Amino acid sequence: MLMGLKVLESENENKQIENLRSPTCSYIITRKKRGFGITMDSEDEVNGKRVPFSNRPEWADIKPVPQDDGPNPVVMIDYKHEFVETMDYFRAVYLAGERTPRSLDLTREAISLNPGNYTVWQFRRLILEHLNVDLHDELQFMDQIATKNPKNYQIWHHRRWIAEKIGVGAAQKELEFTRTTFSQDAKNYHAWSHRQWVLLNLGGWEDELSYCDELLNDDICNNSAWNQRFFVVTKSPLLGGLDVVRDSEVMFSIKAILAKPGNESPWRYLRGLYQNNAKSLVDDPRVASVCIEGLLGGSQYVHALNLILDALVHQFRPNNDLKGAIEAVYSSLDLPDLATDSELAVRVCCILEKVDPIRASYWQWRKTTIPSQAL
């Protein structure tokens, strides 16, 4: 979908323009005498007064190649002249396979006008390799352009390509760059994906768990930080694996749960620490204890009940304290009496239907799938 697209007149129009995406451009549908057009105004103007390529002596030998929209274009794109000229010259050098410093400068101008043009980025990589350019300088260029386009796929792909070429020497800079990105948007998927790639391929694990601590201290509900923490404890070559850190991580997640029981992330993290080993989960007495505290601590007990229900399905046998906590919640909600307290899983589903109305149909369905041994 185009960023900033005000109106789409038809599906055909959408198809005509779907490859012209740019987060830094605003597109406005305008009516013209000969059908519809799209006016594109770039927000990334070249600093100072721009000199047209046609007036630059170094480009005098190049014949621009205009865009071919076919004989009967459905949607005419009303580009700014600057964009049209830049892309016409780009097509000329691209088709000629010219990999020179001037072509590299041209790609820079084209990217400034549309940083989502993957063909320009790919050609730039070919030129960088051919000219054997210092890629540390290229990273500085990326720092500048990525600041204005933090969720542009092509920019992050190009950055990964550079880091891969530089090797382990790029690790710390890339980790620091993603930290800067997270200070603006803590849940930027592209930045998290890039950071994980850097750790796996270039290293830099030494302070990563501490960094997760820092993020979670700032915002215990930062699900991206919880995801990164799980990535670290399961992938870091320095921690010894999940079996080594499980005990301390269980305590960490329980502390977070007790601090904010309505926050789903630490509950999910706690489950993940057992890696779908339901028996180990239900056999850990700390799990039952945190569920009891969740039930008795107030009204934010949906996640505790969800965990209890899953445990019961896996033949968990709760102690009397947990049974009493469930019964206390059930009674407080004025729900219908059930035959015996052996129907514990059904009671849990009834509570969830009441306190989690958005997913009431789901909990009703769960009630119908409870195995007989869990009743």
Side-chain angles (χ1 to χ4, degrees):
M1 181 178 180
L2 286 172
M3 300 298 293
L5 188 62
K6 310 301 182 184
V7 180
L8 278 177
E9 294 292 337
S10 70
E11 290 182 2
N12 287 335
E13 292 175 335
N14 193 20
K15 291 177 182 178
Q16 288 282 335
I17 57 180
E18 63 183 359
N19 290 325
L20 297 170
R21 295 172 289 184
S22 171
T24 63
C25 296
S26 59
Y27 296 79
I28 304 172
I29 297 292
T30 59
R31 295 182 180 274
K32 294 191 172 183
K33 293 181 180 179
R34 298 177 63 184
F36 297 101
I38 297 180
T39 300
M40 184 179 74
D41 295 317
S42 172
E43 297 173 1
D44 285 339
E45 299 293 341
V46 179
N47 292 331
K49 185 177 180 180
R50 178 181 179 274
V51 177
F53 282 93
S54 58
N55 293 342
R56 303 181 195 183
E58 68 271 24
W59 289 98
D61 61 314
I62 294 295
K63 181 180 180 181
V65 177
Q67 178 171 301
D68 182 4
D69 288 326
N72 299 298
V74 177
V75 178
M76 294 297 293
I77 312 296
D78 187 16
Y79 302 108
K80 290 182 65 174
H81 174 73
E82 173 188 356
F83 183 86
V84 172
E85 186 191 46
T86 301
M87 293 308 299
D88 288 355
Y89 275 82
F90 170 77
R91 290 185 200 94
V93 297
Y94 177 78
L95 294 173
E98 180 187 308
R99 302 176 187 181
T100 63
R102 72 173 180 179
S103 295
L104 186 63
D105 290 339
L106 174 57
T107 63
R108 185 185 185 112
E109 291 193 40
I111 287 167
S112 73
L113 294 168
N114 181 6
N117 192 320
Y118 41 83
T119 302
V120 176
W121 282 110
Q122 173 60 17
F123 191 55
R124 183 175 180 85
R125 285 188 283 275
L126 294 175
I127 299 172
L128 289 169
E129 284 190 311
H130 181 77
L131 298 179
N132 196 25
V133 173
D134 186 346
L135 294 179
H136 292 88
D137 294 336
E138 184 72 356
L139 274 182
Q140 292 183 8
F141 166 60
M142 295 305 296
D143 288 349
Q144 298 168 12
I145 195 166
T147 301
K148 295 181 179 180
N149 303 273
K151 295 186 178 181
N152 179 297
Y153 285 93
Q154 287 74 37
I155 289 174
W156 287 103
H157 176 73
H158 189 70
R159 191 170 192 107
R160 179 180 296 190
W161 177 84
I162 298 168
E164 188 173 27
K165 291 290 185 180
I166 294 175
V168 294
Q172 287 307 312
K173 177 173 176 55
E174 293 308 284
L175 294 176
E176 187 57 38
F177 179 78
T178 55
R179 282 183 71 121
T180 301
T181 302
F182 298 140
S183 68
Q184 303 297 319
D185 179 3
K187 299 182 180 182
N188 185 317
Y189 166 80
H190 305 276
W192 281 116
S193 178
H194 186 69
R195 189 177 185 90
Q196 291 186 357
W197 178 86
V198 170
L199 290 167
L200 288 172
N201 293 276
L202 305 180
W205 294 97
E206 293 78 8
D207 300 319
E208 195 63 15
L209 194 59
S210 297
Y211 179 53
C212 293
D213 285 338
E214 177 186 328
L215 292 174
L216 291 172
N217 284 334
D218 290 340
D219 179 11
I220 197 65
C221 295
N222 186 340
N223 54 297
S224 295
W226 281 106
N227 182 72
Q228 182 69 1
R229 189 179 187 93
F230 189 77
F231 172 80
V232 174
V233 299
T234 56
K235 301 292 185 181
S236 173
L238 307 180
L239 298 179
L242 187 54
D243 289 339
V244 174
V245 300
R246 180 179 288 113
D247 188 66
S248 61
E249 289 302 298
V250 167
M251 295 307 299
F252 181 87
S253 60
I254 288 176
K255 182 180 178 182
I257 287 170
L258 296 178
K260 198 174 184 63
N263 177 19
E264 187 174 6
S265 291
W267 289 99
R268 290 293 175 184
Y269 186 79
L270 178 61
R271 290 170 180 250
L273 292 173
Y274 295 92
Q275 296 215 316
N276 297 320
N277 186 335
K279 187 176 187 308
S280 296
L281 175 67
V282 301
D283 287 346
D284 191 330
R286 294 173 295 182
V287 174
S289 295
V290 74
C291 287
I292 292 172
E293 293 198 49
L295 290 172
L296 300 179
S299 60
Q300 295 183 326
Y301 41 66
V302 169
H303 305 307
L305 287 169
N306 190 9
L307 179 55
I308 292 168
L309 179 60
D310 288 344
L312 290 170
V313 168
H314 289 92
Q315 302 182 21
F316 170 57
R317 294 294 176 259
N319 57 33
N320 290 332
D321 290 338
L322 183 53
K323 288 181 180 180
I326 295 172
E327 182 60 36
V329 173
Y330 191 89
S331 300
S332 70
L333 297 173
D334 194 29
L335 292 167
D337 292 334
L338 295 176
T340 67
D341 63 0
S342 63
E343 299 174 333
L344 197 60
V346 174
R347 288 173 180 264
V348 170
C349 285
C350 290
I351 296 171
L352 286 167
E353 286 179 46
K354 181 80 171 182
V355 301
D356 188 18
I358 292 178
R359 294 188 292 176
S361 296
Y362 170 72
W363 299 122
Q364 291 170 8
W365 172 79
R366 284 293 302 271
K367 192 192 304 183
T368 66
T369 63
I370 297 173
S372 58
Q373 64 267 27
L375 295 174

